[in-house]
Amino acid sequence: MPVNWHRWLPIASATVLAVLAAPAAAGWSLFADPATPIAARVGSLFNLILLITGVIFVGVWAVLGVAIWRFRHRPGQEPRLVHGNVLVEVIWTVVPAILLLVIAVPAYSTLMAEEQFPPIDMTVEVIGHQWYWEYRYPASGLRLVNQPLRLPARRNVKLILTSADVIHNWYVPDFAFKLSTIPGRVNQMWLRVERPGTYAGQCAELCGTLHSRMGIAVEAMPPERFASWQTATLASSQTATLAQATAPGGGGGRELYETNCASCHQPGGGGLAGAIPPLGGAEIPNGPADEHIRTVLHGRQGPLTVKGHLYNGVMPPFVQLTDGEIAAIISYERTSWGNHGGPVSADQVRNLRGR
Ligand SMILES: [Cu+2]
């Protein structure tokens, strides 16, 4: 007994179309309200290609459907043998060639728009680390570690991207581009965020055990607010450095710890089971100061047993911090969370630099 599957075909097609169309109808689109000029171009390119491929999709399935129906098997009927058809072959060569050209022209001009930087108002360096992002503002000397990237809205920003260890990828879907950060290599992109707001992203290159923690947040602020935020942040980081310079091993240790270390070792110093060793009650923060200082200055990797558990990760070096900053962090670690290793001085750190 034949199955009347073709009765279900219209219902099945309608369901598939509805499932495909629903997100668009609900306004779920990255391109509905583009955040940057590039995102607008990428969005219209995407829509053009979607339209062309959609028409091809419907056309091919319509012809296929007609063929299946009209030329289905009938008892006692032999099909006619056909050897080539010049007209049909010319059509299916020329039409795709024209379509490819129609897609190539706007695709190329979008690529060019990404490559041709407009006059730049501000430059930011993006540095990927296992497993956090660092942003440097060369013009002001400001540096953000494991914090949202702040940008002025409606300004042309140049991003210079690289990595301190392995390949990461800086990806914010709203900006419609995705760039690898590669050790020893520099990538560039420009960005003009039209609307103030917060844009979320994520490292898009599997970069090790804590890859999933490399989230990205970009906060685009009205330009006047950005300027005052930058001045205030610079002033407060200068006072912090000053306080450490005058009182070695003193103030700012907690803040510096939270900025530089807490993303891995956690704000309470508890570490992350199996990946990051704890600092509270651990051997090194309660042992000789030199070993602790070397660990922070030069980083460490390879098997390490802490409180009876084996770790085998990579602790990044922190040579970029000043002697006073490192002394402040280490003193904070050695006197918090039940530790009694005792404070260290900036001089102790200076003596171990380069060794
Ligand atoms: Cu990463």
Side-chain angles (χ1 to χ4, degrees), residues 126-149:
V126 178
I127 302 157
H129 294 262
Q130 280 174 315
W131 290 274
Y132 58 92
W133 295 102
E134 174 186 345
Y135 302 111
R136 292 189 192 163
Y137 300 68
S140 66
L142 192 66
R143 183 168 157 258
L144 301 175
V145 175
N146 203 24
Q147 287 174 57
L149 169 61

Side-chain angles (χ1 to χ4, degrees), residues 304-327:
L304 179 74
T305 304
V306 178
K307 291 168 87 177
H309 293 278
L310 183 69
Y311 297 86
N312 194 355
V314 182
M315 154 93 183
F318 284 89
V319 274
Q320 72 275 22
L321 299 181
T322 64
D323 296 335
E325 286 170 329
I326 291 185

Side-chain angles (χ1 to χ4, degrees), residues 131 168 203 205 207 211 214:
W131 290 274
H168 302 273
C203 174
E205 186 72 53
C207 57
H211 162 64
M214 286 189 70

